[in-house]
Amino acid sequence: MAYESRQKEIFEIIEEVCRKRKREEKIKVMKTHESWALKDVLRGFFDTTLEWTLPKGATPPFTPSHIHNHPKSLRRANRDFKYLVKGGPGDDLNTWKRENIFIGMLETIHPEDAKLVVKMINREKIDGLTRVVVEEAFPGLLRDSEK
């Protein structure tokens, strides 16, 4: 009996990209695992026109889900990013509701993806991944506020 392999979590894809040495290998991994969730996370890190409407610099108080029993995947939870960026439907939400959506997301996705999302909101650097490589993998994905 053949078993279907599971899709990798977003943090696993990012880790695999960062382990690769050559630009072409990094791009191949990103293209192989292309998804809206991966692209949304990459935009969250590198798109300078995207402005998060959450407090920066700290990890919010949340209880991470269990590694082997997280109810959601970032592949689906990324849909809630629209409530967390300036110019999205979340602009009409009060701060408490917006932060509740964010904490709810962090508590239901894989704990390593939750760490990745917190780094993304805080615009922390990812060692082994650059804007140039992301732009080459997905042309037109990123915008620059300085253009």
Side-chain angles (χ1 to χ4, degrees):
M1 176 187 281
Y3 292 97
E4 288 188 34
S5 62
R6 69 170 182 82
Q7 285 186 321
K8 289 185 177 191
E9 301 291 344
I10 301 303
F11 81 90
E12 293 174 307
I13 298 166
I14 301 285
E15 285 178 350
E16 185 178 345
V17 168
C18 292
R19 281 192 305 266
K20 300 296 182 187
R21 292 268 191 221
K22 296 181 180 175
R23 179 188 302 206
E24 302 80 33
E25 293 172 340
K26 292 174 185 283
I27 292 167
K28 183 179 178 184
V29 171
M30 285 189 278
K31 286 185 173 281
T32 299
H33 298 287
E34 181 177 354
S35 68
W36 282 113
L38 176 62
K39 289 179 177 181
D40 285 349
V41 169
L42 293 171
R43 277 196 67 214
F45 273 103
F46 296 107
D47 190 324
T48 58
T49 64
L50 194 106
E51 189 177 329
W52 296 103
T53 56
L54 295 162
K56 292 175 182 62
T59 301
F62 75 98
T63 305
S65 64
H66 191 275
I67 289 175
H68 300 293
N69 191 25
H70 48 92
K72 269 188 174 178
S73 168
L74 186 51
R75 289 180 181 281
R76 291 193 186 259
N78 73 301
R79 294 175 185 157
D80 289 341
F81 287 163
K82 65 185 172 198
Y83 299 111
L84 310 176
V85 295
K86 188 174 183 178
D91 284 353
D92 296 333
L93 299 175
N94 65 41
T95 303
W96 180 85
K97 179 64 176 170
R98 186 180 308 111
E99 289 177 5
N100 248 8
I101 290 170
F102 181 53
I103 290 170
M105 176 193 305
L106 296 177
E107 289 184 340
T108 58
I109 61 178
H110 191 287
E112 292 299 319
D113 272 337
K115 289 178 189 175
L116 183 68
V117 169
V118 170
K119 285 182 177 183
M120 176 185 70
I121 296 295
N122 291 323
R123 300 281 176 141
E124 293 179 23
K125 186 176 182 289
I126 303 174
D127 291 331
L129 185 58
T130 64
R131 180 184 173 104
V132 172
V133 173
V134 172
E135 287 175 327
E136 195 170 326
F138 304 119
L141 176 68
L142 305 177
R143 293 173 290 168
D144 193 350
S145 63
E146 296 175 15
K147 287 185 179 178

